[in-house]
Each structure stands twice: as structure tokens, then as C-alpha cells.
Amino acid sequence: MLRIVRPRLVTAICITTLLTASGCVSIQRDAPAPAPHNYAQAQIQGFEHIRFWGDETPPYLNEMIAHQQRALAANPAFNERIDVLALSGGGADGAYGAGFMKGWTDRGDRPEFFMVTGISTGALMAPFVFLGSDYDDVLRRFYTQTQTRQIATPRIFKGIFGGDAFASTVPLEHLLNEVVTPEVVARIAAESRKGRLLFIGTTNIDAQRPMIWDIGRIAESGNPYSAQLIQHIMLASASVPGGFPPARFTVTIDGKTAQEAHVDGGITQQIFVYPPGLHLSDLVEHIGSVPQKNFWLVRNTKLNPEYEAVKLTVPAIGTRSVQTLIKYQGLANLYTIEGVARRDDFKIHLTTVPASFNMRSKKVFDPKYMSALYNLGYKTVLSDSQWHSDNPQTELTLHSLYR
């Protein structure tokens, strides 16, 4: 969800930093943070092999391979084509991706994705996109009707005087509880058993590392808390640090309880397909013979730089700097994906919010703004220029899109 950084928020963060340094009391965890020497061994009690670090190969890769091979043997469609969909961060601009997916459905050639990944606002979309067009209306309602008060409620003074955020995400928690139902989890589990993959990324802020959660395995686990955990992961991936509180995960390490803090997945990566250290050919037997392999990348923001004369004040400079950092981080992530595509012989298809879209949002979540973006995404996919495509066998083309 990381996108909009308001001047007031930047100012508040600066004040908070000063007050914290002066000795204000901070929010404590329910259990100690994992220790530096064994934090990587932390597990969610009652679940096994449901997550891995986004900067390394999963330690249980052999088990993943065996699971995929058994499942794909019963799903021959993936021997013909492999489609991987990546949904980026972008906050309220996720409305573009939601409209794009609906338009793709109505166009009639939206594939069944072998893998869906989501970061930040993309994490809020990913489970429903994964389940297909039956859930297009869930996304339409969320990205055209939701207002800021349905996502978060302000608590400015708590944030200033040693709190963990300037807003509470209790409203978003309630919303996720309403839409991520046991039925949704059961359907995710059924698709996972077919060999399909659903990954959501968060940032472990203690470790300064990306974490990728295997939502399909969580759904398949049969654990009665599966829905609650999936909701919490989605919340974590969309928790803009400073604005929203970190999502806390109680873990066990060597029989002892600890508590991790996770924030917006966009802090470490704005969009991802799978870790570069993981070769998809290791997951799918004979994938090299699959005639069609596609990365479909939905970047829920503008790719191009946007000129704007900046007021020379601390809030304005801070806001503009963070926005620029996010833009360039997203571009770097796309270059990483392009490298993976070349290595694994995938064709890239990229869509972004068009540079011509100039409407301004009046709120963090502005239904009029989001509806306009939703409609733009819908119309874009029905046009002749819905995708920027790059064949891995040709010269790099991402730089030609960045202008």
C-alpha cells in the first residue's frame, strides 16, 4: 500500500523521532523480539513450511518440488503454458489493477494463473485475483467504494508520544475478516492442491528482510486459524510504517515464544515474481518444454518520472524524496524481474498507470479518484496497447518505457 506520503505524516514522523530520542515511552511487544543469532529459525506454531525469506532459496525447496510435481501431474494444462501474475504496491492506485483484471475477464482471454504474487495493495488483491473472475466484484467494491475511515482511524497524539503509528488499522482488520472467509480459504486450498501458487510478501522490519508467505500451503494446512493468519499477512503487507502499526506475529524458536514485527512488503520490494535464487524449472518438471511462459506484471502506479516544482520545506522535501525513492525502487524491481525472465525464458508483459492520468486524490482513499482509476484500468485492457511486452530474446526494453 506504500505510495502516498503526506507532508503532515512526514512532519509527525520527524517530531516523533525527536521525542523518542528524548525518552518517550514506546509500545512494547507481547513477547520479546527474536534474538539476532537465531531469528531465522522462527516458526508460526501450528504451521509448517509456510514462508521463506525473499532474498534466498526456500530451505524446503525439495518438498515444494515434490508437491508441485504431484499436483501438476493431475493438471496437464500447465504443460501447455505457464502464466505468472505479479501485483505491485501502490495504495489506492490498486484500483487500476482491479479495473484491469475485470476488463481482462470481460475481454475473454484472462488465463488461469499458475502463480499469483502480491505486495502491499497487491497483497489485498492477490487472493481474489488468484480465485478468478468470481471475485471481480469484491475487488470492484473495495477499490471504488472504500473510504479512508474504512481502512484506518487516526491516533495522531499516540503516534507522536511514543506510539507505533499515527493511525489504527482496526477498520481494515474488520474488512479483511468480512471478505477472507472460510469459503475463500477453502477455495484457495483447492487451487493449491492443483499445483497453483499464491505468494504474498511482507517486510520483517527487525531483520530488514523480505518475507514471502505461501498462502496456498496455509490454506491447505487445515489449521482452524488459517483464515485469521491469511488476514493478518494481508494486513501486514499493507501496513505502511509510521502511518499504520506493524503487524505482530507470535513465533516459537527452540520452544520459546517471541514476536516478530512485519510492515508493508513494499519497503523491501514493490513487485516480485519469485526470488532470483529460485529457478522455476526446479519447481515444474520439464518446464523447459512448455511452449508459452509469461510474466504478467501489474504496476499499480506510474512508471515515468513526474515533474513538480517542490516547495523548499521539510515536509515537502521529505514527501517528494520518499515518493522518488519508491518510484526508483519499483523500477529496480522490474529490472530484477527482467533478469529472471531472461534466465528462465519467460516473456514479460507490463502494464502501468498511464502517464496521461492526471487526476489528484483528495484523500488517502478517495472513491471518486479510485473509481476513475478503476475505469481507466478497465478501458486500458480493452485497448490495443494494454501491455508493454518484452521478449527475453531481444534487447532490454524497460528503459524505453521509462521516460
Side-chain angles (χ1 to χ4, degrees):
M1 191 170 289
L2 192 62
R3 174 185 175 269
I4 300 173
V5 183
R6 302 287 185 184
R8 290 180 182 176
L9 178 58
V10 173
T11 302
I13 291 173
C14 293
I15 294 173
T16 301
T17 302
L18 292 173
L19 290 173
T20 302
S22 301
C24 287
V25 178
S26 62
I27 300 296
Q28 299 299 314
R29 306 180 196 228
D30 297 329
H37 69 278
N38 63 0
Y39 75 89
Q41 302 171 21
Q43 300 291 330
I44 305 292
Q45 189 170 7
F47 296 89
E48 186 176 9
H49 296 166
I50 61 166
R51 62 183 195 166
F52 54 92
W53 297 107
D55 53 10
E56 67 180 28
T57 301
Y60 55 95
L61 180 61
N62 289 337
E63 183 178 333
M64 289 179 67
I65 293 172
H67 176 268
Q68 293 306 119
Q69 289 178 339
R70 288 194 301 269
L72 291 175
N75 193 352
F78 291 127
N79 292 322
E80 298 297 324
R81 60 182 291 172
I82 295 290
D83 294 286
V84 176
L85 174 70
L87 302 165
S88 84
D93 284 7
Y96 175 80
F100 194 94
M101 298 309 299
K102 173 58 176 172
W104 202 351
T105 296
D106 290 352
R107 198 176 68 181
D109 60 350
R110 174 175 162 178
E112 181 179 62
F113 300 105
F114 170 72
M115 179 189 299
V116 176
T117 72
I119 284 283
S120 198
T121 196
L124 300 180
M125 301 168 59
F128 305 105
V129 173
F130 179 76
L131 292 178
S133 59
D134 288 350
Y135 290 86
D136 283 349
D137 200 50
V138 173
L139 295 178
R140 181 192 61 79
R141 290 195 302 271
F142 181 81
Y143 283 103
T144 62
Q145 300 176 13
T146 301
Q147 300 189 48
T148 304
R149 67 174 182 272
Q150 296 171 283
I151 299 297
T153 53
R155 52 180 194 185
I156 302 299
F157 288 107
K158 187 173 182 179
I160 291 175
F161 294 103
D164 57 359
F166 293 101
S168 166
T169 50
V170 169
L172 179 56
E173 292 175 33
H174 291 327
L175 185 57
L176 290 173
N177 185 58
E178 291 176 5
V179 295
V180 183
T181 62
E183 178 189 359
V184 167
V185 174
R187 292 191 64 173
I188 292 173
E191 295 304 313
S192 179
R193 283 190 286 269
K194 296 178 183 177
R196 299 178 64 211
L197 299 168
L198 173 59
F199 292 151
I200 286 178
T202 64
T203 297
N204 183 318
I205 198 66
D206 298 312
Q208 291 189 321
R209 297 177 68 184
M211 177 69 76
I212 296 178
W213 300 78
D214 189 336
I215 304 301
R217 288 182 69 92
I218 295 172
E220 277 194 72
S221 70
N223 190 300
Y225 296 102
S226 293
Q228 183 178 341
L229 179 57
I230 293 171
Q231 294 164 15
H232 203 54
I233 293 165
M234 294 168 69
L235 176 70
S237 189
S239 293
V240 182
F244 297 164
R248 296 167 174 81
F249 290 87
T250 299
V251 297
T252 57
I253 307 173
D254 297 331
K256 296 181 180 179
T257 300
Q259 193 170 70
E260 298 174 343
H262 288 242
V263 297
D264 196 307
I267 294 297
T268 43
Q269 49 189 355
Q270 288 290 313
I271 187 170
F272 76 101
V273 285
Y274 46 84
L278 190 157
H279 292 245
L280 197 61
S281 56
D282 292 335
L283 281 179
V284 185
E285 189 176 18
H286 307 308
I287 192 171
S289 63
V290 175
Q292 294 187 56
K293 291 184 287 186
N294 300 293
F295 284 157
W296 305 96
L297 312 179
V298 178
R299 184 72 179 101
N300 290 303
T301 189
K302 295 179 182 179
L303 191 64
N304 61 293
E306 303 167 84
Y307 183 84
E308 180 181 315
V310 178
K311 293 182 179 179
L312 300 184
T313 64
V314 170
I317 294 170
T319 298
R320 187 65 167 172
S321 297
V322 173
Q323 291 171 341
T324 303
L325 176 66
I326 293 170
K327 186 181 291 289
Y328 274 84
Q329 179 199 18
L331 185 64
N333 295 150
L334 291 175
Y335 275 109
T336 298
I337 291 172
E338 185 162 43
V340 173
R342 289 177 180 273
R343 184 196 68 192
D344 293 348
D345 195 27
F346 275 76
K347 185 175 182 180
I348 290 178
H349 311 268
L350 170 69
T351 185
T352 68
V353 175
S356 58
F357 182 76
N358 294 317
M359 185 175 179
R360 296 278 184 170
S361 175
K362 296 181 179 179
K363 306 173 184 177
V364 176
F365 279 81
D366 180 348
K368 289 184 178 179
Y369 171 86
M370 294 164 68
S371 294
L373 258 182
Y374 181 93
N375 292 332
L376 176 62
Y378 183 89
K379 293 176 182 177
T380 298
V381 78
L382 298 177
S383 71
D384 294 331
S385 57
Q386 68 271 31
W387 295 105
H388 304 293
S389 295
D390 174 40
N391 190 312
Q393 278 72 46
T394 65
E395 291 298 315
L396 184 70
T397 61
L398 278 178
H399 74 276
S400 68
L401 304 177
Y402 182 70
R403 55 185 181 272

